[in-house]
């Protein structure tokens, strides 16, 4: 159900360090937001678009992933043609597309484990100050993926409980009980984690 | 944070993800379909309080950033943040924090029911709607060049749906407070 957006491959982007790729998004974003020249935005969009669509996935898959954001950008672009000017609308639309393509390309070429390593590295200063522990972040991320099926199971259970009693099931009414069911697990899980000494001392 | 706090934060992040899988509700009088995910953010604040609620929202954003399609409609990846509506996603963290802060201040066990409802509703509106919109609109205007007044106007189409979500979050948060209170323990 939850599959990472990473795409297996060995392109130039795949081989770069995640920190460098994140920095690239930041630098390109800043650079593009500093200029209003349409030609610059168009070239940037053409390059990042070419990079994104040349990744080892089908064109349909590549397009499908970005459908919601492309739709939003298109709608806002059309509104801006009317609100501002066609020129300004084109500049901001091209810029958004350029940065979105690059960001999507970085997402598709970076493994979750590599992102986690970068997060751990970035958290070092905070860890030294005792604000947050990088290991706790990894633990929490793992727990989310572990809990998700449980929550869907609770939801199904509530549905069946309603059906068994002949009550019409309304998803909205299930939210309260769903949260209570989920929270009730928390104590047992926390005890299990501590019993195994996962967080150390 | 204790181990239990971490577990609660992770549980709630999972609940927010799960809410994104509920089919969007389309109401006749609102032009945009309602997705339940931003309601999860309101609930995080109302149920867990400021710190843990914000942590749950932040954890959700980390899931998005590392490339998991956990937002409603299967959205995920870094392009969520660089797109024109990225501000709404980033705003989730602050929305949960403010919602939680207000809920902690206004809602107590043993209060009359009406006051609890009112407290949660107000917290969800101020945090989940005002705060989130502030971040969303700021980035929307900056990234698309749209004038502020127009962006505010465009945003109005989401208000009825978000008010309904605040209402549902209020009912659910109050049910949790009555059935299994977490808010008093904070973090």
């Amino acid at each position: 159900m939850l599959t990472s957006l990473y795409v297996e491959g060995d392109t130039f982007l795949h081989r770069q360090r995640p920190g460098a790729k994140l920095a690239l998004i930041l630098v390109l974003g800043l650079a593009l937001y500093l200029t209003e020249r349409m030609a610059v935005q168009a070239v940037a969009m053409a390059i990042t678009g070419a990079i994104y669509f040349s990744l080892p996935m089908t064109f349909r898959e590549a397009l499908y992933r970005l459908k919601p954001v492309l739709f939003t950008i298109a709608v806002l672009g059309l509104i801006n043609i009317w609100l501002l000017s066609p020129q300004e609308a084109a500049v901001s639309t091209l810029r958004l597309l350029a940065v979105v393509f690059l960001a999507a390309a970085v997402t598709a070429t970076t493994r979750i484990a590599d992102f986690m390593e970068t997060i751990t590295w970035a958290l070092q200063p905070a860890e030294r100050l005792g604000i947050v522990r990088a290991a706790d972040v990894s633990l929490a991320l793992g727990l989310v993926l572990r809990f998700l099926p449980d929550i869907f199971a609770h939801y199904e259970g509530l549905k069946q409980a309603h059906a068994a009693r002949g009550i019409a099931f309304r998803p909205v009414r299930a939210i309260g009980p769903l949260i209570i069911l989920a929270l009730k697990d928390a104590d047992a899980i926390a005890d299990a984690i501590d019993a195994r000494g996962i967080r150390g001392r | 944070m204790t181990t239990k706090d971490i577990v609660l934060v992770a549980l709630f992040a999972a609940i927010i993800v799960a809410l994104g899988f509920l089919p969007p509700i389309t109401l006749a009088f609102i032009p945009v379909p309602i997705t339940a995910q931003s309601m999860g953010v309101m609930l995080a604040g109302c149920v867990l309080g400021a710190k843990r609620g914000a942590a749950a929202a932040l954890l959700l954003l980390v899931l998005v950033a590392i490339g998991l399609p956990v937002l409603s409609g299967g959205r995920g990846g870094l392009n969520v943040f660089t797109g024109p509506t990225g501000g709404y996603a980033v705003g989730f963290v602050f929305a949960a924090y403010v919602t939680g802060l207000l809920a902690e201040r206004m809602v107590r066990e043993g209060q009359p029911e009406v006051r609890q409802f009112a407290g949660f509703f107000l917290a969800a509106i101020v945090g989940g709607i005002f705060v989130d919109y502030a971040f969303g609109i700021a980035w929307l205007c900056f990234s698309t060049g749209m004038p502020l007044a127009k962006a505010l106007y465009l945003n109005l189409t989401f208000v009825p749906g978000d008010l309904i979500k605040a209402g549902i979050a209020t009912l659910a948060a109050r049910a949790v407070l009555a059935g299994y209170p977490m808010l008093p323990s904070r973090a």
Side-chain angles (χ1 to χ4, degrees):
Chain A
M1 175 189 60
L2 260 193
T3 33
S4 156
L5 294 168
Y6 175 76
V7 177
E8 202 64 56
D10 189 31
T11 64
F12 178 74
L13 266 185
H14 278 91
R15 289 189 294 269
Q16 303 313 305
R17 293 195 12 242
K21 286 186 266 192
L22 292 172
L24 181 66
I25 298 177
L26 204 65
V27 169
L28 180 85
L30 281 174
L32 290 184
Y33 277 103
L34 284 175
T35 169
E36 293 296 320
R37 301 240 329 253
M38 176 142 41
V40 179
Q41 315 289 357
V43 169
M45 196 279 282
I47 294 172
T48 59
I51 292 172
Y52 177 66
F53 285 105
S54 67
L55 292 174
M57 59 180 155
T58 61
F59 181 75
R60 265 184 69 186
E61 161 71 14
L63 204 60
Y64 178 78
R65 288 176 170 211
L66 291 185
K67 221 169 68 182
V69 67
L70 291 182
F71 178 76
T72 317
I73 292 175
V75 169
L76 291 170
L78 288 175
I79 295 175
N80 264 340
I81 291 180
W82 173 63
L83 283 180
L84 305 166
S85 67
Q87 158 87 17
E88 286 169 291
V91 166
S92 65
T93 303
L94 288 171
R95 180 194 290 134
L96 277 169
L97 286 175
V99 187
V100 161
F101 285 145
L102 182 65
V106 170
T107 293
T109 57
T110 313
R111 282 173 210 279
I112 288 181
D114 294 333
F115 269 125
M116 288 310 301
E117 234 171 75
T118 309
I119 291 173
T120 307
W121 173 80
L123 282 178
Q124 270 175 0
E127 185 154 359
R128 248 175 259 134
L129 292 172
I131 300 169
V132 67
R133 285 165 39 178
D136 286 349
V137 178
S138 315
L139 173 65
L141 283 172
L143 286 175
V144 176
L145 302 180
R146 165 70 186 76
F147 290 154
L148 210 48
D150 287 353
I151 288 168
F152 284 112
H154 283 318
Y155 185 79
E156 276 309 307
L158 284 169
K159 232 178 183 172
Q160 284 170 11
H162 277 73
R165 291 163 181 78
I167 311 168
F169 180 72
R170 300 254 308 275
V172 161
R173 267 197 230 139
I175 293 172
L178 186 67
I179 293 174
I180 293 176
L181 283 173
L183 295 182
K184 276 188 174 164
D185 296 340
D187 275 312
I189 297 163
D191 288 344
I193 291 171
D194 283 338
R196 287 165 180 77
I198 288 172
R199 292 185 72 208
R201 261 304 108 213
Chain B
M1 281 202 179
T2 65
T3 306
K4 191 179 174 192
D5 287 331
I6 293 172
V7 171
L8 286 172
V9 165
L11 266 173
F12 231 94
I15 289 172
I16 302 176
V17 174
L19 286 174
F21 283 90
L22 287 183
I25 316 161
T26 354
L27 293 171
F29 55 98
I30 306 171
V32 280
I34 305 175
T35 56
Q37 210 147 37
S38 60
M39 184 173 68
V41 176
M42 299 172 182
L43 277 166
C46 283
V47 173
L48 297 183
K51 266 179 91 175
R52 293 178 298 189
L58 192 61
L59 191 57
L60 177 77
L61 296 192
V62 173
L63 287 163
V64 172
I66 63 175
L68 289 167
V70 289
L71 294 183
S72 57
R75 288 172 300 132
L78 292 165
N79 49 282
V80 166
F81 302 108
T82 57
T85 56
Y88 295 99
V90 174
F92 277 174
V93 179
F94 303 90
Y97 190 83
V98 173
T99 305
L101 207 61
L102 292 175
E104 284 170 6
R105 297 283 142 84
M106 291 189 294
V107 182
R108 233 159 256 112
E109 277 177 279
Q111 272 176 332
E113 223 174 288
V114 185
R115 284 201 59 185
Q116 294 178 336
F117 278 124
F120 280 136
F121 194 52
L122 199 67
I125 288 175
V126 174
I129 301 183
F130 281 100
V131 174
D132 194 43
Y133 281 16
F135 282 86
I137 292 172
W139 178 243
L140 182 69
C141 288
F142 179 73
S143 64
T144 64
M146 189 177 282
L148 180 63
K150 304 288 179 187
L152 280 170
Y153 188 71
L154 200 66
N155 222 115
L156 280 182
T157 49
F158 294 96
V159 171
D162 281 338
L163 282 176
I164 293 173
K165 281 186 245 180
I168 299 170
T170 301
L171 296 178
R174 156 67 207 155
V176 176
L177 187 72
Y180 199 76
M182 293 300 340
L183 189 61
S185 69
R186 291 184 205 176

